[in-house]
Amino acid sequence: ALEDCSHLFEAEPKNMVLKTSFGFQKLYFHDIEYAEAQNKRVVFYLRGDKVVETSEPLRSFEERLTVSSGFFKCRSYLLYLPNVDHFNNNEIFTKSGRSIPIARGYGKAFQEAYFAHMFQEE
């Protein structure tokens, strides 16, 4: 029966396609540590020290990378919560050791988003 085969077709992990200077690049959410707005570009910092740049504005990603898909916006950053290793009141550390400053006034909102994400049902 078809149901017996369904496990063979694992759903592809969440992803999006970015327009870069080299063409189009598929990014899997689980590879993204955070995105940062820089001038008129957005730089995506990925696991494994990879970096991908796009000329799309950060706000175009805010609509796609929402809290429900695991992202948290803090000023000019979009963080992927599952790739946060640890944090304190002043900064957030990713699994690869990068640090992101927590803007004043965002600490409580970040903690609430982080713990809500950690305890939501997969």
Side-chain angles (χ1 to χ4, degrees), residues 26-27 30 33 37 40 45-46 49-50 58 66-67 80 86 88 94 99-100 106-107 122:
K26 181 187 265 185
L27 284 190
H30 63 253
E33 291 203 330
K40 294 188 186 322
Y45 292 87
L46 310 177
D49 288 336
K50 292 193 183 109
L58 190 66
T66 59
V67 172
Y80 188 52
H86 63 284
N88 57 37
T94 65
S99 79
I100 297 130
Y106 279 87
E122 280 298 316

Side-chain angles (χ1 to χ4, degrees), residues 1-11:
L2 195 57
E3 295 82 38
D4 299 336
C5 297
S6 63
H7 69 281
L8 299 174
F9 299 97
E10 290 295 316

Side-chain angles (χ1 to χ4, degrees), residues 71-116:
F71 287 85
F72 177 78
K73 183 177 189 294
C74 180
R75 291 238 170 110
S76 58
Y77 297 95
L78 269 171
L79 294 152
Y80 188 52
L81 296 170
N83 284 333
V84 168
D85 185 65
H86 63 284
F87 59 92
N88 57 37
N89 290 333
N90 304 314
E91 55 191 332
I92 299 161
F93 296 88
T94 65
K95 288 182 177 172
S96 67
R98 296 180 176 114
S99 79
I100 297 130
I102 296 179
R104 192 184 305 271
Y106 279 87
K108 191 172 193 307
F110 171 75
Q111 284 184 29
E112 287 171 4
Y114 180 80
F115 289 114

